[in-house]
Amino acid sequence: MSYTETLPRPTTEPPARTTRPGLVLALACAAQAMVGLDTAIVNVALPSIQRDLGAGYGALQWVVVAYGLLLGGFLLLGGRMTDRLGRRRIFVAGLAVFTVASLLAGAAHEAELLIAARAAQGLGAALTAPAALSLLAVTFPEGRARHRALGLFGAVGGAAGSVGVVASGLLTAGPGWRWAFLLNVPAGVLLIVLAAVFLAADRPAERTGRLDIAGATTVTGALLLFVYTLHHATGHGWTSASTLALFAAAAVLLAAFVRIERRSPDPLVPGSTLRNRTLVAANLTGFLAFGALLAFIFIGSLLMQQALGYSPAATGLAWLATTVTVVVAAIGGARLVARAGARTSLVSGLSLLSVGALWLARVPADATYAADLLPAFLLAGLGFGLCGPAVQIGALSGVSQSAAGLASGLVETMREIGGAAGVAVVSAVLVAGSALDGSGLDGFRAAFGFVAVLAVLGVVAAAAGFTGRRG
């Protein structure tokens, strides 16, 4: 049974076409680039931020965590608001929140203000990302045109993390860390103006019910608490009383959400969504794929600076190999999906990513870039370039226009939650492994081994969940 058959159709569909599909694609990709860049763009700049603002290590962690926490927690709600209130409206609103928050972050002279601004950036991103993906879903019909559009969109999303590392190093060494945020301001204003002028006004579907406030509150609270607990566990231990209590509280909220959805006449997430095999498979595989990729970038950056002696700028430039490979492979990956199906692309891509991680799991103390790092970076870029677009294409296949925002929000949520989980768990593996070896290399080897396991689990999920050429 297709997704179109299992979801109820509204009485009125929003318009499927916009004036200029090429411009819609450019706007969506630019917005996705801003959202993805700010996930990683502060990493190399943290020491400079700490020095300039006099922030403690606890506050410094929240400069990173606050963005991902709000982004991961509100994505699903952002997707549903896109369906309810209109794609252009939510897209512009998200960009506006993100742009103002970026200005506040760049002007911050206290750590508390910077953390609050980062949280507001995450909220703006949680509105923008599903609206951007939904715009593509309704602008490009299923088939070759959509595959190409989602291939480029996936390439931008996959490359954004490594580009963020590059940009963070160069900006910190050049005009300063504040420009990592201030550059978003003119870019955001330009995108808002272009969206307001050129995106066709879409009329949300007419519904007699109201937005499921109780469901939205409980699922958002559960996601926020879950992401927070992942970061909490890295500093307090995975089996500590506080960590277990927070996980339990997140589980209670999630159980309450399920109960509310079963009783709601107009649920936030229709039950038919979870009965669609392709959609579930795409989200599960996306969770594992993005967890593996972001953990790979996180551990790889630490390996180069802490164990191999690379400078921040050199570390950033080294990741250009992965960035370029992701973009090129993603464009080809979309064509592979059209010819062989999502399953083939995902299995191939995640297998390559696992090989790249295993390559670094044997990294020697005197590692050279050309022989010991570059092959792994190229394999990882090629692997994710193949599987990134396939996740999004699979998640949106057969989705009606009225549910495009929900499907987009789900897959983007799995991306962010998967990334947060991957980084949090791999950090614990790194710490545990490093305790056994004074040089720290055993910890990095164990961490890359864990990344390989995540990628292999993704292979299993894709092989079991997708069927046929379209699945």
Side-chain angles (χ1 to χ4, degrees):
M1 183 177 292
S2 72
Y3 192 43
T4 308
E5 296 170 333
T6 57
L7 281 180
R9 285 189 175 275
T11 56
T12 303
E13 287 277 3
R17 293 179 298 175
T18 49
T19 306
R20 301 180 181 181
L23 183 58
V24 174
L25 177 59
L27 287 172
C29 288
Q32 180 74 351
M34 290 175 63
V35 171
L37 281 171
D38 273 68
T39 302
I41 202 166
V42 299
N43 288 348
V44 181
L46 289 176
S48 297
I49 294 174
Q50 182 180 33
R51 181 181 63 250
D52 291 350
L53 301 185
Y57 285 104
L60 206 62
Q61 179 187 12
W62 277 99
V63 173
V64 178
V65 173
Y67 181 81
L69 186 64
L70 272 292
L71 174 56
F74 281 94
L75 270 168
L76 185 56
L77 181 58
R80 201 54 166 161
M81 289 175 66
T82 296
D83 291 330
R84 290 290 190 148
L85 303 177
R87 288 171 286 277
R88 186 180 73 169
R89 183 177 300 166
I90 297 302
F91 184 72
V92 171
L95 285 172
V97 173
F98 189 90
T99 302
V100 172
S102 296
L103 178 61
L104 293 175
H109 289 282
E110 295 180 354
E112 291 78 10
L113 179 57
L114 178 58
I115 293 169
R118 287 284 287 167
Q121 275 189 310
L123 178 59
L127 299 177
T128 303
L133 188 54
S134 180
L135 279 168
L136 295 183
V138 301
T139 300
F140 296 90
E142 282 199 55
R144 189 174 183 181
R146 181 183 288 186
H147 289 166
R148 286 182 173 178
L150 292 181
L152 184 56
F153 188 82
V156 170
S162 53
V163 170
V165 177
V166 176
S168 183
L170 296 179
L171 289 171
T172 302
W177 62 267
R178 295 182 184 277
W179 284 96
F181 305 114
L182 294 177
L183 285 177
N184 289 328
V185 177
V189 170
L190 177 61
L191 289 179
I192 290 170
V193 171
L194 291 175
V197 172
F198 292 106
L199 289 185
D202 55 333
R203 185 158 51 96
E206 296 176 2
R207 294 179 183 264
T208 57
R210 298 179 178 178
L211 181 64
D212 182 10
I213 299 298
T217 302
T218 51
V219 72
T220 301
L223 291 172
L224 285 170
L225 193 54
F226 179 71
V227 176
Y228 170 77
T229 307
L230 291 175
H231 291 280
H232 176 86
T234 60
H236 296 79
W238 290 88
T239 58
S240 68
S242 60
T243 298
L244 295 177
L246 288 170
F247 274 129
V252 169
L253 285 174
L254 186 60
F257 167 70
V258 173
R259 184 178 180 85
I260 291 169
E261 295 302 279
R262 287 177 176 175
R263 296 185 173 187
S264 174
D266 194 16
L268 182 71
V269 180
S272 55
T273 300
L274 301 180
R275 293 194 295 270
N276 183 272
R277 178 171 177 168
T278 300
L279 184 64
V280 172
N283 280 278
L284 177 58
T285 308
F287 176 90
L288 295 166
F290 280 98
L293 177 73
L294 294 184
F296 183 93
I297 294 174
F298 175 76
I299 292 298
S301 299
L302 290 180
L303 169 71
M304 296 178 73
Q305 294 184 74
Q306 295 183 359
L308 303 181
Y310 282 72
S311 68
T315 299
L317 290 173
W319 283 98
L320 281 174
T322 302
T323 302
V324 173
T325 307
V326 167
V327 173
V328 174
I331 296 173
R335 297 176 181 174
L336 181 61
V337 173
R339 294 179 180 178
R343 179 171 59 183
T344 298
S345 296
L346 289 166
V347 169
S348 301
L350 286 166
S351 296
L352 290 170
L353 180 57
S354 68
V355 173
L358 289 174
W359 186 279
L360 289 181
R362 45 153 293 280
V363 62
D366 58 347
T368 62
Y369 180 72
D372 300 298
L373 302 183
L374 181 59
F377 288 178
L378 293 175
L379 285 168
L382 178 60
F384 195 78
L386 291 177
C387 70
V391 168
Q392 292 168 330
I393 291 171
L396 292 172
S397 295
V399 176
S400 64
Q401 292 180 24
S402 61
L406 172 61
S408 302
L410 281 171
V411 73
E412 290 294 315
T413 297
M414 289 301 101
R415 168 190 173 121
E416 297 302 326
I417 300 298
V423 171
V425 177
V426 84
S427 298
V429 173
L430 174 63
V431 172
S434 297
L436 304 176
D437 175 29
S439 68
L441 279 179
D442 278 355
F444 284 108
R445 291 165 182 155
F448 281 115
F450 174 77
V451 172
V453 170
L454 279 181
V456 170
L457 290 176
V459 170
V460 174
F466 288 88
T467 58
R469 286 177 57 85
R470 291 187 62 187

